[in-house]
């Protein structure tokens, strides 16, 4: 028997029933059955604290930021900038000048592909991604390559859903100017060894962007430890509202990089001859920002931190292990994505039953899962399938949810088997 | 409550299990590809047209139970029709599956589609209407010989 070292701190008390009670959307019935929400990789439900933050901002503090001298504008500005500090702490950035608010992860990646890509990429340079990227970490690079003549390279994945590291190392050369890689795959659940990948990229002088959209709500992120140049995530997956995303950028890189969009807020002075860019991070935030959702994102991150990723991670791992075992026992079911290091996602197919039919049938049992290509068509092509069904977990899911899914899958078999 | 059995009717399940006119059509005169980007379904529809009449038809590809059975039912229905008749049936079918659930289906359309009326149940499942209509959009593309793959919008 293995002897586990004593935990440094007593395990946090994780009361999943109490946590569920904080999410109003989870309290409903769908088609006459209690909602079992297992589509968290698409978006998570919102705790009351986040909903309250939105309502309270609009009810009391609504004003434009960084421009008024009146009380409401000062309150709104303070709340907005305090949310930025919350994000800074959440990813452990050195400074809040390194935190840029965007609309979502997609916009964050496009910002880098445009502002950094058009500035730094030249014909013959290479951008390296992996075969498990979400479309939003593929298409902006394809577009940047088309503009600059750079070449997009794709590191392959193996049957388990891990990046083939030998190939990855081989493809990373002094020609590689950018490594853009996901921290965690939304389609397979794989967690990439991004720490090692960053070190390898550094050794050839490449700049690194990590897509943290999936990782950011399952595990603590420390950009100083990981040390990428850019780390992006999207608010709505980390229990925050839609319409708000984050770009972390290393200060020296953001400083040197030209702006993305032009307009108000991103300048320090404008004449018709020339404009001076504003200081960081405002240089990258043109126009009135999404004030309300930034503030509510701050509330979401505070909420997550108050529970803590140690507790969330332990709970989610236990439910994932249960889900993997229970689903593996479903006749004809095959799990797609069996990396050793994975989190919170079970993608699967059942014989030749189309995932869309699975999705429709389990929905009638109150179970919400995602079916389709999950914005990762190259992943589907890699496994030679058009689509998968995907159950994905958040902090509020339980083994009962897994049982409900397995029960609903029996109905699929009964109808279509 | 909308019932799953409205969608997955016996006829549909049967056509899903044993799709008719499934496979290649060696002497096809025209064909079209259909793609539903939402679910990744792909379908190739082949026609043999002689003197403006569909004398042969088949489909290939992968899809859900709804798109497969819709394609199977469609190929059965339009075989032997003139191209104009097939286009008219397309319009009727389209009208049927896009009629809002709280409105009655046009009587002429219902009569015209005949056996295809089993697919009226998709109206209760908005996300699935495109599955039922993909084969029909592909048929229209094959008839008009459109060079672009057919889409469901
Ligand atoms: C890995 C990954 N990257 C990027 C995104 C894009 O997020 P958004 O659509 O919020 O920009 C997603 C979400 O679907 C994702 O799972």
């Amino acid at each position: 028997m293995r002897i586990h070292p004593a935990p440094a701190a007593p395990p946090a008390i994780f009361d999943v029933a109490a946590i569920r009670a904080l999410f109003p959307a989870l309290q409903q019935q769908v088609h006459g059955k209690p909602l079992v929400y297992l589509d968290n990789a698409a978006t998570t439900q919102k705790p009351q604290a986040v909903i309250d933050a939105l309502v309270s901002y609009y009810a009391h503090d609504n004003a434009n930021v960084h421009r008024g001298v009146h009380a409401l504008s000062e309150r709104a500005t303070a709340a907005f900038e305090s949310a930025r500090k919350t994000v800074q702490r959440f990813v452990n950035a050195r400074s809040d000048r390194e935190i840029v608010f965007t609309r979502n992860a997609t916009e964050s990646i496009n910002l880098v592909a445009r502002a950094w890509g058009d500035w730094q990429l030249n014909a013959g340079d290479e951008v390296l991604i992996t075969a498990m990227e979400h479309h939003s970490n593929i298409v902006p690079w394809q577009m940047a390559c088309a503009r600059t003549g750079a070449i997009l390279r794709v590191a392959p994945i193996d049957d388990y859903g891990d990046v083939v590291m030998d190939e990855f190392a081989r493809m990373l050369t002094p020609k590689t100017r950018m490594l853009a890689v996901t921290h965690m795959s939304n389609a397979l659940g794989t967690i990439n060894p991004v720490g090692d990948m960053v070190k390898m990229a550094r050794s050839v002088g490449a700049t690194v962007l990590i897509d943290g959209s999936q990782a950011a709500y399952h595990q603590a992120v420390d950009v100083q430890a990981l040390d990428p140049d850019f780390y992006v995530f999207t608010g709505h997956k980390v229990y925050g509202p839609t319409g708000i995303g984050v770009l972390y950028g290393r200060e020296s890189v953001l400083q040197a990089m030209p702006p993305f969009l032009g307009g108000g807020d991103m300048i320090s002075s404008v004449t018709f001859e020339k404009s001076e860019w504003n200081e960081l991070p405002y240089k990258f935030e043109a126009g009135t920002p999404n004030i309300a959702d930034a503030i509510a994102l701050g509330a979401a991150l505070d909420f997550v931190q108050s529970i803590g990723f140690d507790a969330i991670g332990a709970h989610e791992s236990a439910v994932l292990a249960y889900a993997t075992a229970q689903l593996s026992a479903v006749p004809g079911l095959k799990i797609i994505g069996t990396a050793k290091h994975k989190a919170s996602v079970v993608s699967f197919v059942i014989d030749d039953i189309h995932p869309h039919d699975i999705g429709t049938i389990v929905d009638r049992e109150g179970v919400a899962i995602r079916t389709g290509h999950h914005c990762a068509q190259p992943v589907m092509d890699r496994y030679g399938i058009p689509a998968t069904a995907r159950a994905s977990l958040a902090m509020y899911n339980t083994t009962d949810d897994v049982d409900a899914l397995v029960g609903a899958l029996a109905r699929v078999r009964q109808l279509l088997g | 409550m909308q019932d799953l059995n409205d969608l997955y009717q016996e006829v549909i399940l049967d056509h899903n299990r044993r799709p008719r006119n499934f496979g290649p059509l060696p002497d096809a005169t025209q064909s079209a590809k259909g793609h539903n980007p939402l679910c990744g379904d792909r379908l190739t529809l082949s026609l043999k047209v002689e003197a403006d009449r569909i004398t042969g038809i088949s489909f290939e590809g992968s899809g859900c139970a709804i798109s497969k059975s819709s394609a199977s039912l469609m190929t059965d229905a339009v075989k032997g029709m003139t191209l104009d008749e097939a286009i008219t049936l397309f319009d009727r079918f389209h009208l049927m599956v896009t009629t809002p659930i709280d409105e009655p289906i046009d009587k002429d359309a219902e009569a015209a589609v005949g056996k295809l009326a089993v697919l009226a149940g998709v109206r209760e499942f908005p996300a699935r209407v495109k599955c039922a209509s993909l084969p029909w959009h592909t048929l229209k593309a094959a008839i008009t010989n459109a060079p672009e793959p057919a889409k469901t919008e």
Side-chain angles (χ1 to χ4, degrees):
Chain A
M1 208 183 98
R2 235 172 98 195
I3 314 240
H4 291 278
I13 294 159
F14 189 85
D15 179 350
V16 71
I19 284 174
R20 291 181 69 82
L22 302 174
F23 288 81
L26 296 179
Q27 316 307 319
Q28 64 186 299
Q29 300 221 324
V30 169
H31 306 303
K33 308 269 167 63
L35 169 64
V36 173
Y37 187 78
L38 291 170
D39 192 16
N40 295 289
T43 199
T44 51
Q45 297 301 338
K46 315 308 170 200
Q48 189 63 46
V50 168
I51 300 166
D52 288 347
L54 274 176
V55 171
S56 163
Y57 168 75
Y58 281 122
H60 304 295
D61 303 331
N62 176 56
N64 213 323
V65 289
H66 304 141
R67 37 192 100 175
V69 294
H70 57 80
L72 266 56
S73 178
E74 283 174 357
R75 287 212 299 264
T77 304
F80 181 65
E81 290 306 327
S82 150
R84 193 189 306 279
K85 287 210 160 58
T86 304
V87 175
Q88 177 204 338
R89 284 193 301 274
F90 187 77
V91 299
N92 194 32
R94 286 176 194 81
S95 155
D96 60 355
R97 290 187 298 279
E98 299 182 312
I99 304 299
V100 177
F101 283 123
T102 61
R103 253 183 335 133
N104 47 38
T106 304
E107 186 174 281
S108 299
I109 297 170
N110 275 276
L111 189 161
V112 176
R114 275 271 173 194
W116 182 91
D118 289 10
W119 171 51
Q120 286 293 318
L121 291 175
N122 292 301
D125 288 348
E126 295 182 2
V127 173
L128 181 62
I129 62 173
T130 77
M132 70 172 86
E133 300 307 316
H134 187 279
H135 294 166
S136 66
N137 200 27
I138 302 174
V139 182
W141 299 114
Q142 282 175 331
M143 292 164 72
C145 288
R147 287 192 301 273
T148 60
I151 299 157
L152 188 66
R153 297 252 182 258
V154 185
I157 56 175
D158 63 20
D159 288 344
Y160 303 104
D162 279 313
V163 173
V164 181
M165 288 307 284
D166 290 353
E167 280 294 301
F168 177 84
R170 207 179 54 73
M171 296 176 89
L172 202 55
T173 73
K175 280 191 184 165
T176 313
R177 299 301 316 282
M178 165 61 74
L179 167 66
V181 59
T182 193
H183 197 161
M184 171 179 160
S185 159
N186 65 310
L188 302 167
T190 311
I191 295 175
N192 277 319
V194 281
D196 294 345
M197 288 171 153
V198 172
K199 286 198 193 82
M200 293 164 76
R202 287 260 169 277
S203 72
V204 298
T207 297
V208 181
L209 175 144
I210 299 176
D211 174 1
S213 302
Q214 289 298 329
Y217 64 106
H218 296 303
Q219 62 178 77
V221 170
D222 182 339
V223 293
Q224 293 190 53
L226 284 178
D227 202 31
D229 299 281
F230 302 103
Y231 192 97
V232 311
F233 68 98
T234 196
H236 66 93
K237 294 190 204 277
V238 51
Y239 308 98
T242 54
I244 189 77
V246 170
L247 168 66
Y248 156 83
R250 183 195 303 282
E251 185 163 353
S252 56
V253 180
L254 290 182
Q255 204 63 266
M257 194 162 106
F260 172 45
L261 301 175
D265 262 355
M266 55 75 70
I267 38 70
S268 60
S269 81
V270 176
T271 64
F272 286 117
E273 287 68 45
K274 188 175 179 349
S275 299
E276 303 279 343
W277 311 141
N278 203 343
E279 60 193 41
L280 293 178
Y282 311 109
K283 181 169 110 183
F284 294 103
E285 293 182 355
T288 300
N290 187 345
I291 305 161
D293 291 314
I295 292 168
L297 173 62
L301 301 184
D302 282 339
F303 171 82
V304 171
Q305 299 284 42
S306 74
I307 297 163
F309 276 116
D310 288 347
I312 293 171
H315 171 76
E316 288 181 357
S317 300
V319 180
L320 177 67
Y322 183 77
T324 305
Q326 294 303 110
L327 288 168
S328 300
V330 171
L333 187 146
K334 179 167 174 240
I335 293 177
I336 306 291
T338 49
K340 215 178 267 141
H341 203 36
K342 67 178 276 193
S344 297
V345 167
V346 190
S347 255
F348 60 90
V349 292
I350 302 180
D351 292 338
D352 56 356
I353 300 178
H354 195 282
H356 250 189
D357 295 312
I358 298 174
T360 294
I361 295 168
V362 303
D363 172 61
R364 297 288 140 161
E365 304 293 318
V367 180
I369 59 170
R370 173 84 183 266
T371 61
H373 53 57
H374 318 294
C375 295
Q377 280 180 14
V379 174
M380 302 297 114
D381 293 344
R382 167 66 179 74
Y383 291 94
I385 47 180
T388 72
R390 178 188 71 188
S392 54
L393 307 170
M395 64 164 86
Y396 40 66
N397 289 117
T398 63
T399 52
D400 287 350
D401 293 342
V402 174
D403 291 341
L405 170 62
V406 171
L409 292 177
R411 181 96 172 94
V412 172
R413 176 63 70 190
Q414 185 195 350
L415 259 173
L416 297 180
Chain B
M1 198 193 87
Q2 297 134 17
D3 196 338
L4 274 176
N5 296 325
D6 289 351
L7 184 62
Y8 296 105
Q9 298 196 32
E10 221 14 81
V11 178
I12 291 177
L13 295 176
D14 176 54
H15 277 261
N16 176 48
R17 269 191 292 266
R18 298 184 301 116
R20 324 294 196 262
N21 310 304
F22 187 78
L25 190 67
D27 52 353
T29 56
Q30 56 220 80
S31 71
K33 289 186 192 319
H35 181 213
N36 183 348
L38 187 68
C39 53
D41 283 0
R42 284 173 197 280
L43 167 95
T44 302
L45 189 77
S46 303
L47 296 181
K48 182 177 183 196
V49 178
E50 293 170 301
D52 263 5
R53 195 171 284 279
I54 298 170
T55 55
I57 184 166
S58 79
F59 76 102
E60 293 168 275
S62 73
C64 63
I66 303 306
S67 72
K68 218 199 275 177
S69 60
S70 179
S72 173
L73 282 156
M74 177 189 80
T75 52
D76 259 358
V78 301
K79 202 189 286 181
M81 281 188 175
T82 65
L83 297 182
D84 281 349
E85 285 165 349
I87 292 291
T88 305
L89 189 58
F90 167 92
D91 291 336
R92 298 272 160 80
F93 183 82
H94 196 252
L95 180 64
M96 174 181 82
V97 294
T98 56
T99 301
I101 192 71
D102 49 1
E103 285 172 29
I105 295 170
D106 180 86
K107 282 272 166 290
D108 290 346
E110 197 167 18
V113 300
K115 255 169 83 174
L116 305 174
V118 293
L119 281 159
V122 294
R123 297 183 306 143
E124 297 172 20
F125 300 79
R128 306 303 300 276
V129 169
K130 288 180 176 182
C131 307
S133 55
L134 178 66
W136 287 89
H137 285 285
T138 313
L139 172 68
K140 199 173 183 183
I143 289 174
T144 54
N145 248 330
E148 288 284 305
K151 297 239 175 63
T152 43
E153 36 249 87

